[in-house]
Amino acid sequence: MSGLHLPDRVRLHAVENPTGTAVIAGESVLTHAEFDASTTRVASALAATTAPGGRVGVLARMGLAGAETFIGCAKAGLVFVPLNWRLNPDEAAAIAVDAGLDVLIVDPEFAAAAAAIALALPDVRVVVIGSDPTVLPTATTWGQLVASGSDTDPGLGGDPDASVLQLYTSGTTGRPKGVVATHRNLHNDPEGLQIYRFREDAVALNAMPLFHIAGAGFLSTCVSAGIPLVLLGEFRAATVAALIDRHRITHAFLVPSTIQALLDLPGLADHDLTSLQVVAYGSSPITPTLLRRAMDTLQCGFVQRYGMTETTGSVTALSVEDHDPSGERAALLRSAGRPMPGVEVQIRDLATGEPLPAGETGEIVCRSRNNVAGYWLRDSDGLLTDDGFLRTGDTGHVDENGYLFVTDRVKDMIITGGENVYPVEVEVILAEHPAVAEVAVVGVPDVRWGEAVTAVVRLVDGETPPTESELVAFTTARLASYKKPQRIHFVSELPRNASGKILKKSIRADLAAGRHA
């Protein structure tokens, strides 16, 4: 099975384990045979609508229609383009135009965005999930689309270099760019799957957005592995706890903000979460304090994944064995782990691009078959080095044992008084204060220092709030003087994008406008 790509894995599971559970969405439960048949009908219907290589957009939460469309596109030689449903209609339409969508499959919840897309792309075929076509007068329904398909599988998806998935970057630093992944990029080999420790009783939960590599990637991983997968349209802590209890979920992919929400759920102890075996986490940094609390509360293994859209998921992983908060290697909790099978990771000098030795900080670059070739209809200069390494835009170092420590985004590094300060160093220290729930550190223009180290903090509810000077003093024994925050602002919440990442660009803009004075 190691050489099979995603659509062939679905086909194979239907033969080898036809009655086993493939996906669960609400009250809908599909076996592998049923999932193979339903995705074949979707594939044949889409193949009759657009030619191989055509773009099929989906504007919907993680659910059965989205999953079936993803696999249907893979079987039909089409490109699956999940759209960010949190964007406003004009933003969604701009991405749809950039992708050149041939088909748009939309949940009625997002009818306003669908209308804007249809206006911008008059020839796009709109399909409404559900049975009410009046959402858009010219649309057909999902049922009509599926009924138009046949039981004849188009049989495509075997070309490793064919495009299959197009995700758009969050656009926090400019216009979103379409990242095009091939079957080769998306391929899940048995060696890579071992990090999850899947057993025969495995049941996974996917509550990440389809339009994020964590959501689309984990869907691909579990479907490829033949693991029963529970699909959830939006993370809600109470719903997640109930689903773990109901379906005896063993594996989940979460981001730090959702881990925090789950741990803070009132009545969490009323749910039986003992089925959990492994929680994979990533997408944004996690503080050692939150990680230790999660390990103590959930009593399961944890796996950290580090990667990005352009690497089609994980570059490195910190294994279950390396999560030992009380052992002599406890410092590894700050690490992003070691390279995944087939991945080369180097640290290169920010100025010269030359490789750096262990322990020295520079830009993280990586080379593997998971690296995409470039962006859709966009200049990809600067993404790859001349020798084929992808520039991540992150800074970090590798220790003598090959463990990667991610410091920050290159653009987030603060230069104050001629010294480099990596915000995560300051954030980790401030997060150790018992009254600090979340913290983000940015550089703010300063006449004297060039940039002033500035922290924005959300406090823990119910704790005695510290003063600004008390928090600064808390860092005194732990940080060099130039790294200490010169100002601390207290907020009720930190701005995030759809994948849970804190938007430091927004924080800097708010500070510049005096909104956190």
Side-chain angles (χ1 to χ4, degrees), residues 322-400:
D322 287 329
H323 283 74
D324 185 2
S326 59
E328 59 182 18
R329 302 168 73 206
L332 287 180
L333 293 185
R334 300 179 188 270
S335 166
R338 291 197 270 199
M340 294 287 289
V343 178
E344 300 174 72
V345 172
Q346 291 183 1
I347 306 298
R348 297 197 174 179
D349 188 277
L350 289 170
T352 68
E354 292 298 313
L356 295 173
E360 292 198 23
T361 297
E363 183 176 12
I364 302 166
V365 299
C366 59
R367 182 167 61 185
S368 79
R369 61 164 175 76
N370 303 98
N371 287 354
V372 301
Y375 299 111
W376 171 249
L377 302 179
R378 200 73 61 85
D379 184 1
S380 300
D381 287 349
L383 178 64
L384 299 173
T385 64
D386 292 339
D387 53 351
F389 280 80
L390 186 141
R391 301 184 62 190
T392 67
D394 288 333
T395 57
H397 70 273
V398 174
D399 71 9
E400 63 278 5

Side-chain angles (χ1 to χ4, degrees), residues 178-247:
V179 180
V180 183
T182 64
H183 285 282
R184 187 195 309 276
N185 298 146
L186 199 63
H187 178 71
N188 288 281
D189 55 67
E191 293 76 20
L193 292 174
Q194 287 177 5
I195 194 72
Y196 288 108
R197 295 180 162 192
F198 288 134
R199 302 188 324 208
E200 289 186 359
D201 63 344
V203 179
L205 171 69
N206 194 348
M208 294 293 292
L210 261 176
F211 56 79
H212 189 272
I213 187 57
F218 196 54
L219 172 60
S220 171
T221 293
C222 295
V223 168
S224 293
I227 302 300
L229 182 61
V230 179
L231 306 175
L232 181 62
E234 186 176 17
F235 181 92
R236 295 186 184 278
T239 304
V240 168
L243 287 174
I244 294 172
D245 193 342
R246 176 184 176 185
H247 294 294

Side-chain angles (χ1 to χ4, degrees), residues 18-40:
T19 61
T21 300
V23 292
I24 300 170
E27 299 305 314
S28 298
V29 180
L30 270 64
T31 66
H32 288 293
E34 291 168 337
F35 189 57
D36 180 49
S38 67
T39 55
T40 288

Side-chain angles (χ1 to χ4, degrees), residues 434-463:
V436 173
E438 290 184 305
V439 57
V441 171
V442 299
V444 173
D446 184 88
V447 174
R448 180 179 181 185
W449 301 109
E451 287 185 293
V453 179
T454 305
V456 178
V457 169
R458 180 176 72 83
L459 297 173
V460 175
D461 292 338
E463 290 284 341

Side-chain angles (χ1 to χ4, degrees), residues 197 199 201-202 249-251 274-279 300-302:
R197 295 180 162 192
R199 302 188 324 208
D201 63 344
I249 287 168
T250 61
H251 291 72
T274 57
S275 62
L276 279 175
Q277 296 171 13
V278 173
V279 170
C300 66
F302 281 77

